[in-house]
Amino acid sequence: MSVEIEVEGQGLATEEMTLNMGPQHPSTHGVLRFIVKADGEVMRTAIPDIGYLHRSIEKIAEKVGWHGFMPYTDRVDYVAAMTANQGWGMASEKLAGIEVPKRGEYCRTIAGELGRICSHLLAIGATGMDIGAITPFTHALREREMINDLIEELCGARLTYNYMRIGGVAWDLPPGYQEKVLEYLDHLEPTIHEINDLLSYNKIYVERLANVAVVSPAMAKNFNLVGPNLRASGVKYDLRKDQPYSVYDEFEFDVPIGEGEMGQVGDCWDRYMMRIKEVFESIKILRQALRQIPDGPVIAKVPRNLKPPAGDVHVRVEGARGDMSWYVASDGTEFPYRVHIRTGSWTAMSIIQELSRGLMIADLVAVIATFDIVAPEVDR
Amino acid sequence: MQEYLTTLLGGAEGLALEVGYLLGMLAFGAIVVFGFILPVAGITSWLERRVWARMQSRIGPNRVGPFGFLQWLADGLKNLLKEDVIPTAVDPRLFRIAPYVVVVGFVAAFVAVPFGANLIIADLNIGILYVTAATSLVVVGILIAGWSSNNKWSMLGGIRSATQIVSYEIPAGLGIFPVVLLSGTLSMQGIIEAQGWQPWNWHMFHSPFALAAFLLFFVSALAEGNRTPFDLPEAESELVAGFATEYSGMRMLLFFLAEWGNLYLIGALMATLYMGGWQVPPFTENAVLLGVAQFLSIFLKSCFWVFVAMWIRATLPRVRVDQLMTLCWKYLVPIGLVCVLGTAVTMVVAPEGILGLRFAMFGLVVLVIANFFRRVVFHLRRAKGMGWTIAG
């Protein structure tokens, strides 16, 4: 279908062009595909086409058993694997009625927040990269490498952590770990300010992101945005605060929301800035957790052959990309009956078609980047 | 013309003389192209990667030769040996010819670029006009590449490049006008001779309008050379690789050769037009020594601007297409017109220029640069103080 529009009565007809963005495209952050209908540089619509990274993770859960599924949860969202670990652990524990020791919960929180900073640093750098600034990306990744080092010390892996277990965590913190992380956090804070100086308040960068793809609070709720994307639209909703799980109710931290500093509330710049604000909140939580961590065991006694009683649970954790919901049903055997994961990137994908109308092709890149879409999390 | 033809056809002697001239010019041109332009373009690629790496806390190429200096030769050799893929759906003739058009455009511009008082291939009386005209050929090549690739991303890249270069020719031209007014000539050597070796005698410090025109010209030249923040034609996060998407091997390298070579061209133009070109203090009578000093003078000035362009590329994000056009037509063009008028008025009011004003502006620029370096040193110190490693 071609649409003809007349430009200023000159009789100059233009034709719609169908562009195929992805699945192999440098800015789609993995294997995403958009069918872009554009009139020159202006998009009429961008239709997301998903499923290129579908790995049947939910089905695999039904075949590998309760303990065996833990490494697979890393692959749900490999940029922030800790929270997926935690989601699966919490769902299984709730089904089987297992109590996690206090120190175990603290270890989970520390690991989860380190993972969140890790993921947000990548998002911050990648947004800059997609807008065309190369240096902030390498600077953000340099900091991320240091967190990777810390997490490697914790669990031996740098990307797919597999740190948590049903009933707690696999290993206690190594000796001297608290001091090391605290020292690192002192280093991280000025570095984030440096990224702000270099990138966030750069005139060109603000021009590119402010007032682009504005998501109103109502629209954000209608499209079921979660996590930072929702909060950037000015909706103060964070599971860690509003439905505290683990030990999050023991910490002092704020829930930052988008304020429309550079344009309207809920524009691309607000969504970008959301990640930076959340890194500071994570630093706050980490400082408290590292100082308050009690002694004791890190993992509860869990039977090797776990058979939770029949029933189903719904557990939600606040991942780096927002509310990660786990619906797990058990029929009393050693294999889950059904697992369903609902992720933040999935809901963010659905709003892009609505937002893309009238944007430039270059803006689509900014939209994908600021929604922080990680392709494997969309398809699972 | 008729006389020329008669000499050419009239006798063996005349013909031999003409052929001799022609061969001489070709030989000199070849020396300049292969001995200077191509190595400069290649070394710029190595330098750019090293400079970026340093700014991005990476190492950069360091394997081939000392500090990886021979990396550009290795890359060139590799790309020459690579298969030259020509996709079936492209327009093969145009597809093949496009990189050559780009390279010819940028190499031809060097005909009128001075390297010293006596080192210039041809001191045309319309030198600067010729350079702008020759570099315009680049856009034709890019447009051909975008169109013939039969790929929508290439097409978008080509069209972006055409709009960008055609638009920015105007502020670039307006940035050149004040110099032409000040020198009263279009010849490159004439423009340089109209300036002195002392910084305050450069055209750049003639009046505030000239200084503004100087910055205006730099911005426009960056846009014309497809450099960040105006690298939209090959924006890799938006258009894959823009007009070069379907190209591979040496043909692709030729596009980038032109881009890196263009960097030096921009620098040389900046130096020639506004920064006194090859002017050096008359410290010796020795012609050879003076020639070397003159060459170094213009070469280092050009290299400084090459470095600044790299710095900008490592720092700034990319503007959007509509913002690019807004910047050009709503800001740069009016500023350019004001600069031209202002320079003309200043010339009428004070034909010899105001020495005090020149000194004041020179001092101001020195202060700005000094403050800038102070900030850089401060940040470097802070970065060192922050050094944090897992080892402790």
Side-chain angles (χ1 to χ4, degrees):
Chain A
M1 186 189 76
S2 77
V3 181
E4 287 187 348
I5 52 168
E6 208 168 322
V7 180
E8 311 270 331
Q10 306 261 319
L12 181 66
T14 57
E15 208 174 280
E16 195 178 72
M17 170 167 71
T18 306
L19 269 167
N20 189 24
M21 193 175 191
Q24 304 296 337
H25 188 276
S27 69
T28 48
H29 297 206
V31 199
L32 284 179
R33 177 167 172 238
F34 290 89
I35 300 156
V36 178
K37 299 213 188 289
D39 180 14
E41 291 264 355
V42 182
M43 286 192 295
R44 293 278 170 74
T45 181
I47 304 162
D49 180 13
I50 59 165
Y52 285 93
L53 258 174
H54 186 69
R55 290 146 298 158
S56 310
I57 282 184
E58 290 164 8
K59 187 71 187 166
I60 288 171
E62 296 167 22
K63 299 288 165 196
V64 295
W66 299 92
H67 288 300
F69 186 52
M70 192 56 90
Y72 286 95
T73 59
D74 294 332
R75 276 81 177 169
V76 172
D77 174 5
Y78 54 61
V79 184
M82 284 297 185
T83 39
N85 273 194
Q86 194 172 5
W88 174 244
M90 276 165 59
S92 312
E93 286 146 15
K94 198 169 170 189
L95 263 177
I98 299 164
E99 180 91 5
V100 181
K102 199 83 176 172
R103 190 175 170 89
E105 289 284 20
Y106 267 86
C107 285
R108 278 185 175 184
T109 306
I110 291 165
E113 293 305 318
L114 279 176
R116 190 188 311 277
I117 296 178
C118 226
S119 166
H120 282 348
L121 279 177
L122 185 69
I124 292 162
T127 310
M129 184 91 155
D130 283 347
I131 303 301
I134 318 153
T135 305
F137 180 71
T138 55
H139 285 199
L141 276 216
R142 182 186 63 201
E143 302 311 312
R144 189 172 179 268
E145 274 307 291
M146 293 170 186
I147 301 188
N148 278 349
D149 286 344
L150 286 172
I151 293 180
E152 188 181 11
E153 210 170 317
L154 194 63
C155 63
R158 297 170 70 87
L159 189 72
T160 48
Y161 310 126
N162 189 22
Y163 175 56
M164 295 177 196
R165 297 285 181 270
I166 296 170
V169 295
W171 297 280
D172 200 353
L173 304 182
Y177 193 71
Q178 286 102 306
E179 291 74 40
K180 208 173 248 182
V181 177
L182 284 171
E183 199 187 317
Y184 171 70
L185 295 179
D186 291 341
H187 156 82
L188 181 65
E189 259 177 328
T191 318
I192 301 289
H193 285 303
E194 208 156 77
I195 289 179
N196 268 346
D197 290 345
L198 183 62
L199 183 67
S200 312
Y201 295 100
N202 184 306
K203 177 74 178 154
I204 298 175
Y205 192 69
V206 171
E207 288 287 315
R208 278 296 304 272
L209 293 186
N211 293 323
V212 170
V214 180
V215 181
S216 66
M219 194 178 171
K221 283 179 197 162
N222 286 346
F223 278 88
N224 212 336
L225 291 187
V226 289
N229 298 334
L230 176 68
R231 292 194 283 277
S233 293
V235 182
K236 201 165 186 157
Y237 183 74
D238 188 326
L239 286 175
R240 292 174 293 176
K241 205 79 167 176
D242 294 316
Q243 277 184 23
Y245 56 93
S246 194
V247 285
Y248 278 111
D249 49 353
E250 295 178 17
F251 305 125
E252 288 275 326
F253 65 99
D254 299 325
V255 179
I257 53 167
E259 284 151 0
E261 237 176 288
M262 293 294 163
Q264 286 160 277
V265 175
D267 57 8
C268 281
W269 196 84
D270 266 356
R271 279 193 292 278
Y272 162 82
M273 208 54 195
M274 206 61 219
R275 267 93 202 176
I276 289 202
K277 289 177 187 166
E278 287 206 354
V279 168
F280 286 118
E281 297 308 318
S282 288
I283 290 175
K284 265 190 214 167
I285 296 175
L286 270 172
R287 286 217 170 102
Q288 295 170 50
L290 288 161
R291 294 206 174 101
Q292 293 169 13
I293 186 164
D295 289 331
V298 292
I299 187 161
K301 283 229 180 304
V302 180
R304 209 179 166 76
N305 193 3
L306 187 65
K307 283 183 186 168
D312 58 347
V313 291
H314 180 220
V315 163
R316 296 160 77 188
V317 283
E318 181 75 23
R321 261 154 285 284
D323 180 352
M324 195 184 230
S325 303
W326 292 76
Y327 172 78
V328 183
S330 163
D331 54 359
T333 64
E334 55 204 283
F335 299 106
Y337 179 71
R338 174 80 171 96
V339 174
H340 182 70
I341 315 161
R342 196 173 153 291
T343 52
S345 298
W346 162 257
T347 54
M349 277 297 271
S350 60
I351 202 172
I352 287 179
Q353 188 172 353
E354 182 73 19
L355 284 177
S356 62
R357 205 169 296 147
L359 292 181
M360 308 284 253
I361 288 174
D363 289 333
L364 179 61
V365 174
V367 170
I368 299 171
T370 54
F371 273 113
D372 193 15
I373 286 169
V374 171
E377 212 202 1
V378 176
D379 300 331
R380 301 179 300 283
Chain B
M1 195 67 201
Q2 211 170 4
E3 268 176 45
Y4 176 76
L5 281 177
T6 351
T7 358
L8 205 62
L9 301 171
E13 274 174 49
L15 192 65
L17 201 65
E18 287 298 321
V19 169
Y21 276 142
L22 200 64
L23 285 179
M25 270 183 79
L26 270 180
F28 188 60
I31 289 170
V32 172
V33 170
F34 292 106
F36 185 77
I37 299 174
L38 296 187
V40 158
I43 291 167
T44 307
S45 81
W46 166 79
L47 193 69
E48 177 153 51
R49 292 168 69 182
R50 290 292 290 190
V51 168
W52 277 15
R54 184 42 78 89
M55 288 173 183
Q56 300 174 350
S57 54
R58 296 185 288 119
I59 296 167
N62 68 342
R63 293 289 117 179
V64 194
F67 303 105
F69 179 71
L70 298 175
Q71 186 68 42
W72 62 281
L73 276 179
D75 282 346
L77 212 62
K78 182 192 81 174
N79 278 295
L80 273 176
L81 296 174
K82 268 189 160 179
E83 187 192 349
D84 181 23
V85 181
I86 297 175
T88 44
V90 303
D91 183 334
R93 260 188 229 121
L94 289 179
F95 188 80
R96 283 204 195 97
I97 209 170
Y100 304 132
V101 175
V102 171
V103 169
V104 163
F106 117 84
V107 168
F110 274 88
V111 168
V113 170
F115 300 104
N118 303 312
L119 288 172
I120 183 166
I121 300 177
D123 182 19
L124 304 175
N125 55 359
I126 50 157
I128 185 66
L129 192 65
Y130 167 79
V131 171
T132 44
T135 46
S136 296
L137 203 56
V138 172
V139 65
V140 178
I142 289 176
L143 202 52
I144 293 176
W147 172 256
S148 67
S149 292
N150 196 10
N151 175 328
K152 285 165 188 166
W153 299 114
S154 305
M155 181 70 193
L156 275 175
I159 296 288
R160 276 185 181 189
S161 183
T163 47
Q164 177 175 335
I165 297 182
V166 168
S167 303
Y168 275 82
E169 292 263 285
I170 292 162
L174 289 173
I176 293 169
F177 275 173
V179 172
V180 176
L181 285 178
L182 289 169
S183 330
T185 172
L186 285 166
S187 142
M188 299 291 255
Q189 300 291 55
I191 288 171
I192 293 175
E193 276 154 16
Q195 307 173 58
W197 63 267
Q198 309 95 327
W200 51 88
N201 276 344
W202 293 348
H203 280 335
M204 163 182 179
F205 297 115
H206 179 266
S207 64
F209 300 107
L211 193 63
F214 162 77
L215 296 172
L216 177 80
F217 179 72
F218 184 56
V219 173
S220 314
L222 281 183
E224 274 197 82
N226 292 341
R227 299 287 304 180
T228 311
F230 310 108
D231 60 341
L232 298 125
E234 45 184 286
E236 77 279 346
S237 59
E238 295 156 25
L239 302 184
V240 193
F243 57 85
T245 305
E246 298 288 350
Y247 282 89
S248 58
M250 198 57 202
R251 272 177 222 281
M252 177 168 148
L253 200 66
L254 286 179
F255 284 120
F256 289 96
L257 192 79
E259 194 193 312
W260 289 313
N262 252 332
L263 264 187
Y264 181 81
L265 190 66
I266 293 170
L269 286 182
M270 300 283 290
T272 305
L273 294 177
Y274 282 102
M275 294 177 69
W278 40 256
Q279 292 277 15
V280 285
F283 64 98
T284 169
E285 294 292 310
N286 188 331
V288 176
L289 217 57
L290 207 61
V292 170
Q294 283 172 344
F295 173 75
L296 281 180
S297 167
I298 191 164
F299 184 72
L300 292 179
K301 282 172 191 165
S302 311
C303 285
F304 172 74
W305 289 106
V306 171
F307 175 71
V308 170
M310 288 172 186
W311 195 337
I312 287 175
R313 186 165 187 188
T315 312
L316 290 183
R318 180 185 306 126
V319 297
R320 207 168 51 209
V321 190
D322 55 329
Q323 292 165 348
L324 183 85
M325 290 296 132
T326 312
L327 179 69
C328 177
W329 293 107
K330 284 193 181 163
Y331 297 95
L332 296 186
V333 171
I335 291 173
L337 289 170
V338 170
C339 287
V340 173
L341 282 176
T343 313
V345 170
T346 321
M347 280 175 69
V348 172
V349 174
E352 295 303 310
I354 310 151
L355 200 61
L357 194 63
R358 277 173 181 270
F359 272 116
M361 281 193 328
F362 175 61
L364 192 71
V365 168
V366 167
L367 267 181
V368 167
I369 292 174
N371 188 46
F372 184 69
F373 273 95
R374 199 181 56 81
R375 284 291 299 274
V376 169
V377 169
F378 169 75
H379 276 281
L380 282 180
R381 285 227 183 97
R382 206 176 78 162
K384 265 186 193 148
M386 288 197 314
W388 189 91
T389 49
I390 197 79

